[in-house]
Amino acid sequence: MKYTRTKKHTRRVAPPSLFAMALLAAVGMVLGACKHDDKGFPPLTVEIFNFSPNFAGVRLNAPLELTFSAPVDPNSVDPDSIRIFTTTTTTNEPDPGAPAIGVFVTNGNVVRFLPRIPQRADLTDAGLRIGFRYAVQVPSFPALNTVRTTAGDPVEIAFSEEFTTLNQTILPAPGDITAEPNLPSL
């Protein structure tokens, strides 16, 4: 037992009980898990990706959408802070890692990646390639380039997911192909 002395009395003070210490530790862990930044936002994380894990069959022009836990600073979104790249190895491309080509659009806590629409008939200029597996990665702090909140707080938990694009080209139905009306006949 400990004794403390005040001006008039000497008091006996009991040591903290094991239960009280355990309760204090539990409260501290709960408060730590629910921490918020200075402006009241929870830690920045990716909450939703618009395709289920390992989804196969993503169209070449399908937008990829990440929903974050707080509003995102559009200036922090770029191909280094949200990485979208192939993980497929083929005879034409022995080394995976080719980046998807497209544009990021940020609106509040949602970031959309709009793949480049192909202009060539063989689709080699598409933002996503036919039948390839892709990884989407959002690195967390202390990575140099991270997505940040509008308050400047970085992503705290890294995100990684994979998907596969369609393994075929989709041609128009035969009835949709029409001859040019003003061509001279042979």
Side-chain angles (χ1 to χ4, degrees):
M1 287 274 167
K2 265 182 149 180
Y3 292 91
T4 60
R5 179 167 271 186
T6 62
K7 287 185 180 182
K8 292 185 177 182
H9 299 40
T10 299
R11 292 188 339 200
R12 192 170 81 172
V13 179
S17 72
L18 190 55
F19 175 75
M21 290 190 307
L23 182 61
L24 186 60
V27 168
M29 287 190 321
V30 168
L31 291 176
C34 297
K35 82 174 191 179
H36 288 66
D37 67 10
D38 297 342
K39 296 185 175 33
F41 291 121
L44 186 61
T45 59
V46 175
E47 292 186 334
I48 301 169
F49 178 52
N50 66 325
F51 291 104
S52 58
N54 297 312
F55 184 81
V58 173
R59 295 181 330 272
L60 298 184
N61 63 343
L64 307 177
E65 187 173 286
L66 297 163
T67 303
F68 288 83
S69 59
V72 171
D73 176 6
N75 295 321
S76 70
V77 176
D78 61 34
D80 291 326
S81 63
I82 299 178
R83 301 172 188 153
I84 305 170
F85 58 92
T86 64
T87 60
T88 303
T89 302
T90 66
T91 54
N92 292 339
E93 188 168 335
D95 297 322
I101 301 168
V103 177
F104 289 101
V105 177
T106 305
N107 185 10
N109 65 330
V110 176
V111 176
R112 286 182 190 87
F113 175 76
L114 305 173
R116 181 171 63 191
I117 304 296
Q119 303 297 314
R120 298 178 56 167
D122 63 2
L123 305 177
T124 56
D125 62 338
L128 299 173
R129 298 176 66 187
I130 298 171
F132 272 68
R133 188 159 187 77
Y134 283 86
V136 177
Q137 295 179 343
V138 180
S140 62
F141 182 80
L144 293 178
N145 293 321
T146 61
V147 175
R148 296 185 176 277
T149 64
T150 52
D153 300 319
V155 168
E156 290 192 14
I157 299 172
F159 173 83
S160 183
E161 191 59 66
E162 292 192 10
F163 66 91
T164 305
T165 56
L166 285 171
N167 198 16
Q168 61 190 9
T169 56
I170 299 173
L171 299 174
D176 292 342
I177 301 173
T178 57
E180 190 71 21
N182 296 324
L183 291 178
S185 55
L186 298 173

